[in-house]
Amino acid sequence: MSHDLTPEQQKLRDEVRDFADTVVAPAAYEYDTKRELPYEILAQMGDMGLFGLPFPRSHGGQGRDYVDLCLAVEQLARVDQSIAVTLEAGVGLGAMPVWRHGTEAQKDEWVPMLASGRALAAFGLTEADAGSDAGGTKTTAELVGDEWVINGTKQFITNSGTAITRLVTITAVTGMSERADGSVKKELTAILVPAGTPGFTVLPAYDKVGWHTSDTHPLLFSDVRVPAANLLGERGRGFAQFIQTLDEGRVAFAALCSGAAQGCLEEAVRYARSRNVFGQPIGSNQHIAFTLARMEARAHSARLAWLDAAQRLVAGQPFKLEASLAKLIGSEAAMANAHDAAQIFGGNGVMNENAVARHYRDSKILEIGEGTTEVQLMVIARELGFAGAPR
């Protein structure tokens, strides 16, 4: 496939890059230290249309596609992964499930609000014993009359407790079904839970190693009642729906990884040119120059990987393998480049006011979030036809 960008995509990339450099980057250290989400920056992103990029104009979107979303996420991630993941999760995990699986009434109610960037939605999948293993889900939803009654907990949920969070889509056990071999499996269903619903409690935020500006909370559901019409998609199809959500989300997440790898490279190149030791720039040292060359190779490979996956997604072609490859390549590139950039910066590389130090903390999450490295290896092995890879 051709990975050339259209003139419109190049313009979008350049505009977001400029916004990242002039608005997001100067504020990144302050908000990282405060551990606060900068709502005024999110509002500007909303005004730019970033939260509505892949949605049609009929629902308040920009009429663009997933490649455009990934381009925006990548450019933001160069300077601040927390801001980038707020956009990535807000669209890919928050709004996209409603757009993909919602009724027309649900789309009309929620998508314009979320596409504007003035509201956020979250995706409540992970639990203490469930995430990669969805069969471990313990949260339940019982249909009582014309209401779902929900009980359980979720953890590590991004964008779930912000001042503008309006919706969480959760997966819950709604019954049991029998397989052809006589064994029993849980029936998983997706349900929309508006913020502020009685019994729905957003617990205190986590004290994370990185992504300090990103909003992440555990959630508690105690006899939460929502209308039966809040069913998202078909009852019992929650597993298939969230697999699609995660497959698509991994593409944008891979773009975030690519941006982080690129950001580390750019910072390291700048420092290697300006930092003088023994009368010459440290970049004149062959070891530093070769390290930067390897960083460039990683960032380049990561970008090609997510572009391939995103263009396959947009073209309606199979992309599960490519999404996992992109996420694996990108997260490892970001982590390796963060390590090398911090080493090149020396003592300055562990000072939080420097972007490379924040990337060093933030990038570890990239090897865990939206499917660990091990999960990506499992998916890739399965796509290669190895039956021993767990399903």
Side-chain angles (χ1 to χ4, degrees):
M1 301 184 72
S2 171
H3 299 315
D4 292 338
L5 300 181
T6 66
E8 292 78 11
Q9 288 172 332
Q10 293 176 33
K11 183 173 183 290
L12 171 68
R13 178 198 59 195
D14 294 344
E15 287 176 349
V16 179
R17 182 183 180 88
D18 181 68
F19 175 77
D21 289 343
T22 60
V23 177
V24 180
Y29 175 54
E30 175 187 354
Y31 284 103
D32 181 87
T33 302
K34 292 179 177 179
R35 302 195 176 203
E36 293 179 359
L37 191 61
Y39 292 105
E40 67 279 9
I41 290 178
L42 296 188
Q44 292 179 68
M45 291 163 58
D47 291 341
M48 293 172 67
L50 302 188
F51 287 92
L53 281 170
F55 304 113
R57 295 184 182 279
S58 61
H59 285 73
Q62 298 298 306
R64 308 286 284 259
D65 62 29
Y66 219 81
V67 173
D68 298 87
L69 171 64
C70 291
L71 287 170
V73 169
E74 181 183 46
Q75 291 306 315
L76 292 170
R78 291 169 37 255
V79 301
D80 191 334
Q81 292 186 37
S82 289
I83 294 297
V85 78
T86 300
L87 174 62
E88 183 271 332
V91 177
L93 300 182
M96 193 59 72
V98 181
W99 179 248
R100 294 291 191 212
H101 307 294
T103 64
E104 289 305 313
Q106 289 169 342
K107 293 177 186 179
D108 290 344
E109 178 180 4
W110 294 108
V111 174
M113 182 192 313
L114 300 174
S116 73
R118 294 301 192 269
L120 290 173
F123 185 60
L125 166 65
T126 305
E127 299 180 10
D129 297 315
S132 302
D133 177 15
T137 300
K138 294 180 180 178
T139 296
T140 61
E142 181 183 2
L143 190 58
V144 179
D146 61 354
E147 292 182 319
W148 291 105
V149 181
I150 305 168
N151 286 281
T153 60
K154 298 292 180 178
Q155 66 178 15
F156 309 143
I157 310 303
T158 303
N159 291 345
S160 58
T162 76
I164 58 174
T165 299
R166 298 292 179 264
L167 179 70
V168 178
T169 298
I170 67 157
T171 53
V173 179
T174 53
M176 307 296 287
S177 62
E178 186 175 325
R179 295 188 178 93
D181 62 4
S183 61
V184 175
K185 69 174 182 178
K186 294 177 179 178
E187 175 189 84
L188 294 179
T189 300
I191 299 172
L192 303 176
V193 182
T197 301
F200 171 26
T201 304
V202 178
L203 299 174
Y206 294 102
D207 182 13
K208 304 189 299 289
V209 168
W211 283 9
H212 287 165
T213 304
S214 172
D215 176 88
T216 319
H217 296 261
L219 308 176
L220 174 64
F221 302 87
S222 300
D223 288 331
V224 174
R225 292 177 176 268
V226 298
N230 282 28
L231 171 72
L232 183 64
E234 299 178 33
R235 176 170 177 166
R237 292 285 295 168
F239 180 83
Q241 290 171 207
F242 81 67
I243 287 296
Q244 180 181 358
T245 297
L246 291 178
D247 283 345
E248 291 188 1
R250 280 174 188 152
V251 179
F253 200 86
L256 192 160
C257 297
S258 171
Q262 181 67 31
C264 290
L265 170 65
E266 292 175 6
E267 288 292 316
V269 167
R270 178 188 60 78
Y271 193 78
R273 288 171 175 166
S274 62
R275 169 65 168 163
N276 290 304
V277 175
F278 301 118
Q280 59 184 359
I282 61 173
S284 63
N285 181 296
Q286 188 182 69
H287 173 71
I288 299 295
F290 281 9
T291 297
L292 292 168
R294 289 190 182 279
M295 292 174 69
E296 168 67 22
R298 294 185 196 117
H300 182 77
S301 299
R303 183 171 303 106
L304 291 178
W306 79 250
L307 271 169
D308 182 50
Q311 290 179 339
R312 287 173 181 273
L313 189 165
V314 170
Q317 298 178 355
F319 68 94
K320 178 184 287 288
L321 171 62
E322 289 76 15
S324 282
L325 286 168
K327 203 276 184 178
L328 176 68
I329 293 167
S331 59
E332 291 187 343
M335 190 72 247
N337 276 14
H339 173 276
D340 285 349
Q343 194 70 19
I344 288 172
F345 266 68
N348 288 320
V350 293
M351 300 298 146
N352 282 326
E353 60 265 30
N354 287 322
V356 296
R358 298 193 296 275
H359 275 306
Y360 189 80
R361 289 188 283 104
D362 293 346
S363 293
K364 183 58 196 173
I365 307 175
L366 302 178
E367 297 183 311
I368 298 171
E370 293 204 32
T372 63
T373 295
E374 292 73 22
V375 165
Q376 305 317 312
L377 292 170
M378 179 186 73
V379 172
I380 294 166
R382 191 165 66 225
E383 290 295 309
L384 291 174
F386 289 93
R391 287 190 177 273

